Amino acid sequence: MRERSLLPPVLGIPPLAATGLAVGTTALGVLVDLLRIGTVGRVFEVCYLLGCVLAVSWVRRRSLFLPAVQPPLLLAVVVPLVAVLIGAPSGGGAAQSLSWRAHRSSTRSRRWR
């Protein structure tokens, strides 16, 4: 019974194989989206979700911990990696808006002195 997965007729896979499944499908989604639109999008989201759900569903019941904690850890690795691969964002964004506002407020305070 402990060797079964959450799906009753399926024999469970080892935890490292389940983690590899999630990492592989996520990497496939990143690759397809980078080649298709130059950044991550819907294909990445679907592959990431599908890989994580399949990993938890197919792993052995006694080894559920690793696939259950891997989604946030996987994102913690993928997001910086994608940022390095595609570089800094070039258009707008919150960081650019905040830096412009900070510059604007500092120039206003100099005028009133």
Side-chain angles (χ1 to χ4, degrees):
M1 188 67 163
R2 295 179 62 190
E3 299 296 317
R4 294 275 178 201
S5 69
L6 291 177
L7 305 172
V10 179
L11 191 60
I13 60 176
L16 288 178
T19 301
L21 175 70
V23 169
T25 56
T26 301
L28 178 67
V30 168
L31 181 68
V32 168
D33 265 349
L34 285 180
L35 293 175
R36 189 175 63 98
I37 59 174
T39 187
V40 292
R42 293 282 182 221
V43 175
F44 161 73
E45 291 172 4
V46 169
C47 287
Y48 169 73
L49 180 67
L50 183 67
C52 291
V53 168
L54 284 177
V56 170
S57 298
W58 285 353
V59 75
R60 296 175 184 153
R61 286 185 186 179
R62 66 183 174 133
S63 305
L64 195 57
F65 178 74
L66 185 61
V69 299
Q70 83 185 359
L73 298 175
L74 189 56
L75 274 185
V77 171
V78 169
V79 170
L81 185 64
V82 169
V84 167
L85 288 175
I86 64 174
S90 59
Q96 189 173 8
S97 174
L98 288 175
S99 66
W100 178 78
R101 287 182 184 171
H103 171 73
R104 186 172 167 206
S105 67
S106 68
T107 58
R108 276 187 184 169
S109 63
R110 281 190 229 147
R111 275 191 273 169
W112 295 103
R113 289 183 189 171

